[in-house]
Amino acid sequence: MPKKITGIGASSGISVAEIYLFEKEKIDVKNTKISDVKKEIKLVKDAIVKTSKNISILKEKSIKKIGADKAAIFEAHNQILNDPEMENQINEKINNEKINGLKAINDIFNNAKAIFESMDDEYFKERAADVEDVKYHLMCTFLGKQLPNLLSINKEVIIVANDLTPSETALLDKKYIKGFATNIGGRTSHAAIMARTLEIPAVLGLKNITSLVKNAKKIAIDGSKGIVEISPNESSWNKLIQHQIEMNKKFDECKSKKAQTIDGHSIHIVANIGKSKDIDNIKKYGAEGVGLFRSEFLYMDNSNWPTEEEQYEHYKYVLSKNPNNLVVVRTLDIGGDKNLDYFNFPKEENPFLGYRAIRLCLDKKDIFKTQLRALARASIHGKLAIMFPMIATVDEFIEAKKITLKCFEEVKKAGHKVSDNIQIGMMIEIPGAAVLADQFAKHVDFFSIGTNDLIQYSLAVDRMSENVSYLYQPLNPSILRLIELTILGAKKYGKWVGMCGEVAGDWQNVPLLLGLGYKGLDELSMSASSIPKVKYVINKIKKEDCIELANNAVLCENQNQVAKLLEKFFAKNKINIE
Ligand code: PEP
Ligand code: MG
């Protein structure tokens, strides 16, 4: 009997395949005492050396399968494993408490894991999974056990597991792994991010899927809807798969097409990037430039404030790889959930409403100016636009712009060339700024709407909280009205408006984004892989219909009513993507 279960759709795509139940042996850690401390410490040392070698072998294998970038996880694992502090602590524990090596490894790694878990920063929180992963590997080696080997899979399967660790996901071979379904995890868990990167369908958070599949042979998975079906009705799933194959072909064709509606209205479709190297990958998805370069990653990946020279190299790289299209670099957006190892943020009750982004830059002008000088020097290598994050008041924008222009002059005086065409704009992430957009518009060259924060601040909903996630409503009419106000304000002074929050990359929002404020947005910036679907929708609709839809949507009472309008719109336009 087929059995359908719903979990969290973490990576889109549909497939049906045999079940590969991936269950890891639980390691029983006993508190037994030892008498030969030296021998125990040597056993731990040998296990560390052997595990480190294994990790290096896995790294080599995964470089071949998934590329050096993704395989970097193994480098990080070897750093954790070979941290002398960890080894010292294990040895001390064996020495002082005369406990066996396995228990000492377990306790010290658990302590390290707890420290990472307690950190506010999402990046460090995620490192807890890596510590757990390395611990399991080391304990298996210590006990002489073989690690379960996902690399040995050589037929098409869907993996069903409690969870997949970072190193396990790095070993998944797309040729054979047609999807995975896990008991735990959510959209932002490591397994989810990896699934999207590898473009493998995944449904997570299915609670007890590992026990439910015990007597079954096959499973079907729909990663967009978050559904799995055990012992599925294959003919109906095969129809869905066929539809998906046809749609994928159409999306691929869109990559090289212009984003233009049936009635001839064009819009710029550009990419969000986090690291300068990301620029190498955006063209293949059809991006016409960069709408958001999150420069904070340059700072977060460093052990100290990046120098002007270091930053210059990164900006130059991105601009010169893309010299004919606009590259919008956002100045340092740090604070809130994004911390730096080398800077002590003041303790605040509400860091998201506190000392962050442009507020920090206007306070620490040296840091701000270092970035601006690097940008000014890089500007001659392409078409640069600079935007400031989290602008709340017109005065803030005017001050930030004044400092920027002064930096340009200083850089010129120092003998460098600076482009005369650098655009200076701001993000609209704070509702107050959206409401006052017509005043801001007098001073800016452009706006880019950051919906991730705009929704958070408008509906007073922490964008990371699972408890109130039901309030995180991108299509709430209040959000649509703020977008509309921003567009109307900008157009009054002939300025362009883009959007770089997640709302821009969801194909279902496209008709609204093209119609709001009559003119709609001029640019949509998103993860490069979302571009083909968004272009597909644009190519199939009429601007005038979008305007009518948006005019009705802003008059709705709630998100559900807006979603219904969209559903009707897609049905009428015969757009059936998923
Ligand atoms: C946003 O807030 O929408 C945005 C693009 O910025 P970030 O997600 O980096 O805060
Ligand atoms: Mg933001």
Side-chain angles (χ1 to χ4, degrees), residues 294 330 333 338 356 389-390 427 429 450-454 457 463:
R294 288 185 161 96
R330 171 170 77 185
D333 184 11
K338 297 176 216 160
R356 56 173 298 197
M390 297 289 302
M427 292 192 70
E429 298 176 279
T451 48
N452 305 343
D453 279 314
L454 186 64
Y457 295 127
R463 65 193 254 191

Side-chain angles (χ1 to χ4, degrees), residues 378-441:
S379 64
I380 50 160
H381 297 286
K383 286 189 179 169
L384 174 68
I386 297 175
M387 69 177 170
F388 310 124
M390 297 289 302
I391 293 279
T393 67
V394 172
D395 297 341
E396 265 179 339
F397 181 81
I398 290 175
E399 191 188 351
K401 185 171 167 179
K402 200 167 133 199
I403 296 170
T404 307
L405 294 176
K406 195 156 172 252
C407 271
F408 292 176
E409 288 314 310
E410 283 169 13
V411 170
K412 279 187 208 160
K413 269 198 197 125
H416 300 286
K417 276 198 184 145
V418 177
S419 160
D420 291 329
N421 293 317
I422 306 174
Q423 298 190 39
I424 303 177
M426 62 178 265
M427 292 192 70
I428 298 276
E429 298 176 279
I430 298 179
V435 171
L436 210 61
D438 58 339
Q439 298 299 333
F440 280 99

Side-chain angles (χ1 to χ4, degrees), residues 251-373:
F251 300 147
D252 277 347
E253 285 162 17
C254 284
K255 289 178 181 169
S256 55
K257 282 190 188 159
K258 267 189 81 169
Q260 194 175 52
T261 59
I262 298 173
D263 47 354
H265 174 83
S266 298
I267 175 164
H268 287 288
I269 302 297
V270 292
N272 290 351
I273 60 170
K275 309 207 171 178
S276 49
K277 274 261 162 215
D278 295 345
I279 193 76
D280 300 343
N281 270 325
I282 66 165
K283 278 218 182 97
K284 70 174 190 217
Y285 290 103
E288 297 160 13
V290 173
L292 168 65
F293 179 4
R294 288 185 161 96
S295 69
E296 63 270 17
F297 285 101
L298 257 164
Y299 294 73
M300 288 159 78
D301 289 347
N302 239 327
S303 50
N304 213 328
W305 296 106
T307 61
E308 180 181 319
E309 206 52 41
E310 274 173 282
Q311 293 195 53
Y312 166 73
E313 288 301 330
H314 285 282
Y315 304 141
K316 176 181 156 192
Y317 184 81
V318 173
L319 285 159
S320 49
K321 280 264 170 158
N322 199 39
N324 300 320
N325 290 316
L326 197 64
V327 171
V328 183
V329 180
R330 171 170 77 185
T331 57
L332 181 60
D333 184 11
I334 206 77
D337 60 328
K338 297 176 216 160
N339 290 313
L340 298 172
D341 292 346
Y342 47 88
F343 181 68
N344 273 336
F345 283 85
K347 270 262 161 276
E348 293 178 301
E349 289 290 322
N350 294 300
F352 272 97
L353 301 180
Y355 187 72
R356 56 173 298 197
I358 196 68
R359 300 164 186 191
L360 184 149
C361 286
L362 292 178
D363 183 44
K364 302 242 171 275
K365 293 203 177 57
D366 287 352
I367 289 165
F368 192 31
K369 286 171 83 174
T370 304
Q371 177 168 39
L372 293 168
R373 276 197 299 270

